[in-house]
Amino acid sequence: MLLFIILQKTSSKTMIRSHLRLVIFIGLLVVNLLQFSTASIVSTGDFNKDFFVTWSPSHVNTSADGTTRSLTLDKDSGSGFASNDMFLFGQIDMQIKLIPGDSAGTVVAFYMTSDQPNRDELDFEFLGNVNGQPYMLQTNVFADGYGDREERISLWFDPTTEFHTYSVLWNLNQIVFMVDWVPIRTYRNHADKGVAYPRRQPMSVQTSLWNGESWATRGGKDKVDWSKGPFTASFRNYKIDACVWKGNPRFCREASPANWWNQDTSSSLTWAQRRLFRWVRKNHLIYDYCQDGKRFQNNLPKECSLPKY
């Protein structure tokens, strides 16, 4: 009888420990699922909630409902704002209306950056021009602190009269810059061939308006005409559908329904996108670092000889 009681107590303790382990396991699973479920975020659409002012609050104006924001540049200062969160992979869309009239020397930037010494960065830079001349859009990719990957295109519309959507898709396979959903540039992950690729550092979303007259317009020949200022660019209808950085890259690399950008369908350009991409390259490409043999002394970066999609 005593032996039965001892065995019964031992069995009860074993069952309790087993139940406790099960509870702990389920708890950890729930935490992981919760963390995973919040990995992807669709933004609120309110600049006041998703962004903070990084530069000159007096030059940043936001609508009462928070859905529209403008940046101003004058002789005293430029301006800028940045996202509260950092992200590792996803897609960012921003509608922008650029400076009308004479905008020579000004630069409107919309970009993602890790803000580290060996930074990763994905840039849209809109280079202002004298009245009557078109804007140029410059894109650049920094990987492990190294850039010098500029490309420039002419836009096929007037970006100062209406808002247009500028997007960047970023995943483990490719980076795609888009204008109104038209892919204008790709940068593929060729890390296995020794090409640096942004894949480890989370990045914030940032915008700025600043004086780039030393280089932005005709190599710095056209300066800012302050009599035409102040200069204003407007932003609205942004969408952040990306993996919020929580310190663990595993959740951002999962190919789940929430992380749609990691699915096979986003690993390369579709056939329709490839046609549009080739159209942009044929009709609107102004400068491509991969075609500048003189700059690189006929030793072009390795990615220039590798597939773009």
Side-chain angles (χ1 to χ4, degrees):
M1 183 68 177
L2 178 61
L3 178 62
F4 174 77
I5 294 173
I6 292 173
L7 289 173
Q8 189 176 37
K9 287 183 177 180
T10 303
S11 177
S12 298
K13 288 180 180 179
T14 302
M15 290 179 64
I16 290 171
R17 283 196 294 268
S18 297
H19 287 152
L20 184 59
R21 284 196 295 267
L22 180 61
V23 169
I24 291 172
F25 172 77
I26 293 173
L28 290 173
L29 181 62
V30 169
V31 168
N32 284 337
L33 287 173
L34 285 173
Q35 188 170 3
F36 179 78
S37 68
T38 59
S40 177
I41 181 172
V42 177
S43 48
T44 66
D46 187 338
F47 283 101
N48 292 319
K49 293 181 179 179
D50 293 333
F51 293 87
F52 66 97
V53 176
T54 57
W55 183 18
S56 191
S58 63
H59 289 59
V60 180
N61 294 289
T62 309
S63 62
D65 60 3
T67 60
T68 303
R69 176 168 284 181
S70 65
L71 297 179
T72 297
L73 167 69
D74 58 24
K75 281 186 177 181
D76 296 325
S77 179
S79 49
F81 58 89
S83 62
N84 295 324
D85 290 309
M86 301 191 78
F87 310 94
L88 186 66
F89 309 129
Q91 181 167 313
I92 313 296
D93 308 322
M94 182 73 75
Q95 287 193 349
I96 307 173
K97 183 162 67 173
L98 298 175
I99 302 164
D102 194 330
S103 57
T106 67
V107 178
V108 177
F110 164 52
Y111 58 107
M112 299 186 71
T113 181
S114 63
D115 280 335
Q116 299 295 323
N118 61 328
R119 78 183 188 277
D120 292 336
E121 188 168 297
L122 312 175
D123 294 332
F124 282 99
E125 293 177 314
F126 303 91
L127 311 182
N129 217 330
V130 295
N131 197 19
Q133 295 298 314
Y135 262 85
M136 280 190 294
L137 169 54
Q138 174 171 286
T139 56
N140 200 357
V141 174
F142 283 79
D144 294 335
Y146 179 76
D148 289 344
R149 299 183 177 95
E150 298 91 346
E151 291 187 8
R152 291 184 182 182
I153 67 164
S154 61
L155 295 169
W156 50 94
F157 53 83
D158 183 349
T160 71
T161 58
E162 296 178 349
F163 284 89
H164 290 267
T165 303
Y166 304 91
S167 311
V168 59
L169 168 67
W170 171 37
N171 58 39
L172 275 171
N173 297 294
Q174 65 174 350
I175 295 163
V176 184
F177 295 85
M178 293 173 280
V179 176
D180 289 336
W181 319 120
V182 175
I184 64 166
R185 178 179 184 174
T186 63
Y187 184 81
R188 288 202 63 78
N189 185 352
H190 292 298
D192 60 333
K193 298 176 178 65
V195 178
Y197 185 84
R199 53 182 172 156
R200 296 186 179 91
Q201 300 185 67
M203 294 191 272
S204 63
V205 181
Q206 301 196 26
T207 69
S208 59
L209 170 54
W210 46 283
N211 177 2
E213 66 179 5
S214 64
W215 65 275
T217 308
R218 292 204 307 146
K221 293 179 180 179
D222 295 320
K223 306 299 183 181
V224 175
D225 183 352
W226 296 110
S227 69
K228 304 294 177 58
F231 305 97
T232 300
S234 300
F235 305 80
R236 75 175 188 187
N237 290 350
Y238 67 89
K239 182 180 179 181
I240 301 174
D241 194 355
C243 186
V244 180
W245 178 250
K246 301 291 186 181
N248 187 342
R250 180 169 64 89
F251 295 103
C252 297
R253 292 173 178 161
E254 292 283 349
S256 69
N259 293 356
W260 60 266
W261 52 85
N262 288 334
Q263 302 288 340
D264 289 342
T265 53
S266 297
S267 64
S268 185
L269 298 184
T270 65
W271 285 108
Q273 287 178 318
R274 294 179 189 189
R275 290 185 64 183
L276 291 169
F277 177 77
R278 290 193 291 267
W279 173 78
V280 171
R281 310 292 288 186
K282 179 180 178 181
N283 297 286
H284 294 278
L285 183 66
I286 296 171
Y287 174 81
D288 180 356
Y289 75 106
C290 281
Q291 298 175 5
D292 196 343
K294 182 178 179 181
R295 174 184 179 184
F296 294 98
Q297 299 179 344
N298 294 319
N299 186 24
L300 293 173
K302 186 178 294 186
E303 66 267 18
C304 294
S305 61
L306 297 172
K308 293 185 179 297
Y309 48 76

